[in-house]
Structures are given as C-alpha cells and as structure tokens.
Amino acid sequence: MSTVREQTDDGAMLHPEQRAEGDPDAIIRDGRRLDHAEGTSKPLRAHPEPQPRGAKVHGNRPVDQQEAAARFIAAPEHEKMHDERLWDLRQKRDREMHGIPEWEELRSLASAIKEHTLTHLDEYLDQFEANASANGIHVHWARDAAEHNQIVHAILRDNGVKSLIKSKSMLTEECGFRHYMASVGIEVIETDLGERIQQLDNEDPSHVVVPAVHKLRTDVAAVFSRTIGTDPNNSDVHYLAEAQREATRPLILNADAGMTGGNFMVAETGTFVVCTNEGNADLSANVPKLHIASIGIEKIIPRLEHLAVFVRLLSRSALGSPITQYTSHFRGPRAGGEMHVVLVDNGRSERLGLAEFWTSLKCIRCGACMNTCPVYRRSGGLSYGATYSGPIGLIIDPTFNARKYSNLPYASSLNGSCSNVCPVKINIHEQIYAWRRVLVEQHEVPLAKRAAMKAAGVLLSRPAAYRAAIAAADTALAHLPRFVIYNGLNAWGKHREVPHPPKETFHSWDHANRGAKR
C-alpha cells in the first residue's frame, strides 16, 4: 500500500513523519519537522546533571574503559540523550539505505575499490604525488606522528605563522597536533563547532563525525560561559551557535595559515576532497594564503569516477543525510597562495601487513558503527581513552599500542551490527574477536582474567568435573542468601541478575530419557 503524502503550500509532497503529529517534543519550522540537529533535542530537567568526564589515562597502563563507562551510565540524562541521539542517526541511515535500491551494490563496490587500492597502495600514492606536484602542490611524507608535526611546524615557521585555523581532522588528533603546536607557541583554532567546543573544554572528540555528541546543551552553555563569556543560564542552541560564530570569525579572518584533513585523495588527478556541513574547511583553506592538508595514506582512491561511490555512501552512513552540505575539491593553491599536502603513515604500513586486520584501513570515518553499537551508545566515546572509539576504535587502537588498549576489544557484545552497517564492509566484529585472541597470545590480558580463563579451560575439558561444578553452583544459587551471591567477586552480578538455576540440565534429562535406550 502506498504511503499517503500531504501537499504543502509550496507544492512539495510532505511525508507523514515530517508532520510530527502527536509528538509533543517535535520542533516545527514552516510546517515541517526538523529532522536533524536541534530537531532531535529533548527538554531537560530544571537542574541538569554535570557532564561525566572520560577515561583516566595513566601513561602506558591499560585504559579502564569499564570504569569510565560506569560513570557515564551513572549520569542518566547524558546516557539517555547519547543513546537516543545516536540511535536516531542509525535510523536515519536506514531510511536513506532503503531509499537506494543499489545500496548493497554500492557497499560491495566501495569495498572492492578500497581492497584493490590498498593492495596497490605504493603505485597510487606515487601517482598522486606526481599529479599533485604537477598541480603546484608541495607533497611531504611523514613516517609517524612526530614527523608529521615537525614537517608542519617547519612549514609554519618558514612562513612566520603565529596562528592557524583548522577544520576537523581525526588524523591531527591522532598525531597530538594541537599539543605540539602549543609547545612551540603557535595558536591553533578549531573551526568546526563540535571540535571547537571540545577544544575549549580541553577534551578530545568523542565521535569521528559529531565530536561533542556526548554533551547536553547545558554542558555547552557552561563551557562557553567559562571561555567566551556567554550567559551560563542560556542554553538555546541558536544563541550558543551564534555566540561561537561571533567569537571565532575574527580569529579566522586574522589567521596566518589554514589546515584541513582530507576525506579522499584521487590518484588520477592529484586532487583531494574534504566533506563538511559547516563550510569551515573552505574557510580554513581559502581565507589564509597558506593551506596545509594532513591526510592518511589510506585515503587514496584510483580515479575520479570512484569518488561518486564514496560520496553517496559517506553522509548517508554517518548522519542519514543524502550528502554533506559542502563537498570541496582541492586541486592546487589559490592565486598567490601556497598549498602543502602531508601524507602520513603512522603505523598504517605496518597494519597493512597484518593478515587479519589490514582491511580496517578501508574505513572512511563515517561513524556508522558507533551509531549502532549498544556499548558505545551507552558508555560515551571518551570512555575509550583513545582517538578512535566505538567498534572501529576497538580494532584500530591496539595497532598503535597493544598494551594501553588491551581492554578495549572486550567492550563489545560481538552482535555484528557494526559490520552490517559499515559502508565498506569491514568485518569489524570478527576483527574484535580476533584481537581478543591475539592479546591473550601476547599476554596483554590482566592476570585475574588469565587465571579465570585457565581455570575455565581445565574445567571445561573434564566433563565429569564440569557437571559436578554445575550441580554445586545450582544448589548454591537455590539456597544461599543474596548477599553471599552478590559480592565483589561476582562481576556478572554487578549489573544484572544471575540466572535462576534450571530444574534439570539437558545432560540429566538426556540421561534419564534416552540413556537406557542407548
């Protein structure tokens, strides 16, 4: 049966969902329901709770994601908002997916393009360098984060730069770029609204696409009040966005240099593409005369025609919108200007040689796996204590530091939803499981967990001992008082009820009913 649509005054056909009938929280503008941004914002309590902070990182010690997640869950306003906001993005992604009959073909094609490119990575990077250089771009190669920061610093120093405006880039977060620039006296101003919020609050981004998604409006109001002098009691989104625009625009106009990342590089043309919804990449690239783009080597694709496949998938997977507001192509420096591209490895070549994990390099940083993950939605991105959080972070982060991020692959239910929504078909949940095995083999698992698994292995390898233990446990659960069962040693019972013991096990039933016949 076809869906009934309502014709509006301007002649457009309005889907019933957009009329928001019966939804008291819907925000309506010009007869239409707002489907993004403030359209998903919900009323808050009169006295909202403070924002829970992220994981406590102590050098090279394993990050305790579980502890940070527990603190996030203990803040119900934040946990509920975060869960609902990201699930809303997942639902929008599904609506867009169902609107494109060739969606699965696009995913397969994107995955194949990436696989081909990664298996011929050296050829396409050489091709990009040659064509970009012919376009007037200065191309640099950085082996790691430190070399990236030093290369960019040298460019800025040679041009007398004191202030740099920058659009959102996960690669620069990965390289610790802002901290390095602060150490050499160069001011970096984030121009993406979410990144700027996080910068002013001295926090890392919690999501690869929506960096401040874990914050309530009141959290942003408190940050802006403390840093740019806004009214702490005014959490209206229009007021906050306009205040930030007014505070940042003079910094943009007076900057000495601009920096962007890059969503895709095209080997055939020597060009790169940046996708944004605020236009901040265009400001960063075009207002100053000096433009530096830091791009991971895995972002390369062979031909311009391949770009259309990824552009159709990226925003639909990330936000459930047909396309980003700005899809900006950069071919060379502006008239009288200077353009540099820094191609960064930082462990990518090493990951390319990992038989089970190299396909993680296909990632286009859409965040779809985060939006669907039940663990990420309820624990917040900062609980991971790493640049990349959520399911994709669980398989990327250990490649940087297996010891520090050894706990992260266990922050997953292995339900497979992340793999199902990945636009380039990375087998994320299978790689998460594989990392658990690798970390055990490398002895990067806590002693208590190793001892428990060893004991379980011994027990499960002896059927008679296993059945005796099950019988004893069932008897204990049936008769022991609750305070004995739910103690500090019972990790399962911290957040859920222990299952009631069955009246009989399958083994005992089988023995009673079929044992004699056998």
Side-chain angles (χ1 to χ4, degrees):
M1 185 172 64
S2 61
T3 302
V4 177
R5 297 175 183 264
E6 178 182 282
Q7 187 164 1
T8 59
D9 293 339
D10 61 2
M13 301 301 288
L14 191 62
H15 192 280
E17 287 186 2
Q18 293 294 90
R19 296 202 297 271
E21 295 174 350
D23 185 351
D25 294 330
I27 299 177
I28 309 298
R29 293 279 165 77
D30 300 324
R32 294 174 181 268
R33 178 195 185 114
L34 290 184
D35 199 36
H36 289 280
E38 66 175 300
T40 59
S41 187
K42 302 293 183 181
L44 298 172
R45 296 181 301 182
H47 301 288
E49 67 201 6
Q51 178 203 324
R53 310 310 283 189
K56 300 171 183 176
V57 179
H58 304 285
N60 200 41
R61 291 172 56 187
V63 174
D64 191 347
Q65 191 271 344
Q66 188 176 24
E67 183 275 334
R71 285 189 282 106
F72 191 83
I73 293 170
E77 287 284 325
H78 287 80
E79 188 269 341
K80 184 173 186 292
M81 177 278 299
H82 194 258
D83 182 25
E84 292 180 352
R85 178 72 181 100
L86 293 171
W87 186 245
D88 177 69
L89 294 180
R90 162 67 203 269
Q91 290 177 307
K92 289 183 174 71
R93 175 261 179 203
D94 290 351
R95 290 209 297 267
E96 289 293 327
M97 174 197 70
H98 291 304
I100 300 180
E102 66 274 23
W103 180 263
E104 289 303 320
E105 294 178 58
L106 286 171
R107 290 181 69 213
S108 296
L109 184 55
S111 181
I113 293 169
K114 278 287 189 178
E115 185 160 332
H116 165 78
T117 310
L118 289 169
T119 52
H120 298 78
L121 189 59
D122 55 339
E123 300 171 23
Y124 288 116
L125 287 172
D126 285 343
Q127 185 181 356
F128 174 84
E129 181 184 30
N131 291 327
S133 298
N135 294 339
I137 300 174
H138 301 280
V139 180
H140 310 262
W141 298 83
R143 286 170 293 187
D144 53 29
E147 193 167 5
H148 164 269
N149 295 338
Q150 291 162 6
I151 289 170
V152 176
H153 180 208
I155 297 169
L156 299 178
R157 184 184 60 232
D158 293 346
N159 285 271
V161 172
K162 296 298 181 185
S163 65
L164 170 79
I165 53 174
K166 187 174 82 65
S167 68
K168 188 167 72 65
S169 163
M170 293 306 297
L171 177 63
T172 57
E173 297 287 345
E174 178 186 320
C175 293
F177 176 74
R178 282 206 315 264
H179 297 291
Y180 180 89
M181 288 295 109
S183 72
V184 296
I186 296 177
E187 182 184 16
V188 176
I189 301 102
E190 296 285 354
T191 58
D192 176 90
L193 178 58
E195 283 280 358
R196 184 62 172 164
I197 292 170
Q198 291 303 95
Q199 181 184 21
L200 293 176
D201 201 22
N202 195 30
E203 279 190 330
D204 293 332
S206 69
H207 190 286
V208 295
V209 176
V210 275
V213 69
H214 60 293
K215 279 180 162 60
L216 300 173
R217 298 193 311 264
T218 47
D219 298 328
V220 178
V223 173
F224 283 4
S225 171
R226 186 175 69 248
T227 55
I228 62 175
T230 57
D231 180 358
N233 298 314
N234 190 344
S235 60
D236 176 73
V237 292
H238 296 283
Y239 167 75
L240 294 172
E242 182 64 18
Q244 175 54 28
R245 181 182 185 276
E246 292 298 318
T248 306
R249 188 54 60 96
L251 302 176
I252 294 174
L253 296 176
N254 294 317
D256 302 316
M259 173 179 269
T260 68
N263 293 90
F264 308 101
M265 296 183 292
V266 183
E268 175 188 38
T269 59
T271 60
F272 61 96
V273 175
V274 183
C275 302
T276 69
N277 282 312
E278 299 173 19
N280 52 297
D282 297 75
L283 289 172
S284 299
N286 293 302
V287 173
K289 291 184 178 181
L290 174 61
H291 174 198
I292 303 170
S294 297
I295 310 174
I297 57 175
E298 82 281 12
K299 297 296 183 69
I300 193 84
I301 57 175
R303 300 173 62 85
L304 194 61
E305 65 189 59
H306 298 145
L307 183 63
V309 175
F310 295 97
V311 168
R312 293 187 74 190
L313 288 167
L314 178 59
S315 192
R316 286 181 169 92
S317 298
L319 300 172
S321 58
I323 195 170
T324 50
Q325 301 301 316
Y326 299 85
T327 302
S328 306
H329 297 244
F330 296 98
R331 186 180 183 87
R334 53 177 280 192
E338 189 176 319
M339 180 181 286
H340 296 257
V341 169
V342 185
L343 299 175
V344 184
D345 188 320
N346 201 35
R348 287 158 174 78
S349 294
E350 184 178 353
R351 198 189 319 164
L352 191 59
L354 299 176
E356 290 186 281
F357 306 113
W358 71 273
T359 56
S360 64
L361 290 166
K362 294 181 181 182
C363 177
I364 60 174
R365 304 294 191 266
C366 69
C369 61
M370 299 177 175
N371 300 341
T372 197
C373 176
V375 175
Y376 175 87
R377 295 202 321 265
R378 292 168 177 84
S379 60
L382 297 181
S383 69
Y384 295 76
T387 299
Y388 302 105
S389 53
I392 191 63
L394 304 189
I395 63 176
I396 290 179
D397 295 329
T399 66
F400 294 116
N401 189 326
R403 173 172 169 75
K404 185 174 183 179
Y405 303 119
S406 58
N407 288 329
L408 297 191
Y410 296 92
S412 170
S413 64
L414 298 179
N415 62 77
S417 180
C418 48
S419 301
N420 291 338
V421 301
C422 177
V424 289
K425 290 193 169 183
I426 303 172
N427 59 333
I428 301 175
H429 72 292
E430 293 177 352
Q431 292 191 37
I432 294 172
Y433 179 77
W435 266 116
R436 294 182 183 182
R437 175 178 50 76
V438 169
L439 291 169
V440 169
E441 292 171 353
Q442 295 179 356
H443 304 292
E444 295 293 355
V445 176
L447 179 61
K449 183 174 289 187
R450 291 206 305 271
M453 290 299 102
K454 185 175 182 179
V458 171
L459 185 64
L460 293 171
S461 66
R462 291 170 169 78
Y466 170 75
R467 289 194 291 271
I470 290 295
D474 288 346
T475 301
L477 289 174
H479 296 92
L480 289 177
R482 184 178 178 85
F483 75 88
V484 175
I485 298 173
Y486 292 90
N487 56 56
L489 298 177
N490 182 2
W492 177 280
K494 288 181 180 179
H495 304 291
R496 55 206 156 204
E497 289 291 310
V498 175
H500 292 292
K503 294 181 180 178
E504 62 178 341
T505 65
F506 174 78
H507 181 270
S508 61
W509 177 90
D510 181 73
H511 181 74
N513 291 274
R514 297 183 178 180
K517 295 179 181 179
R518 286 200 296 269

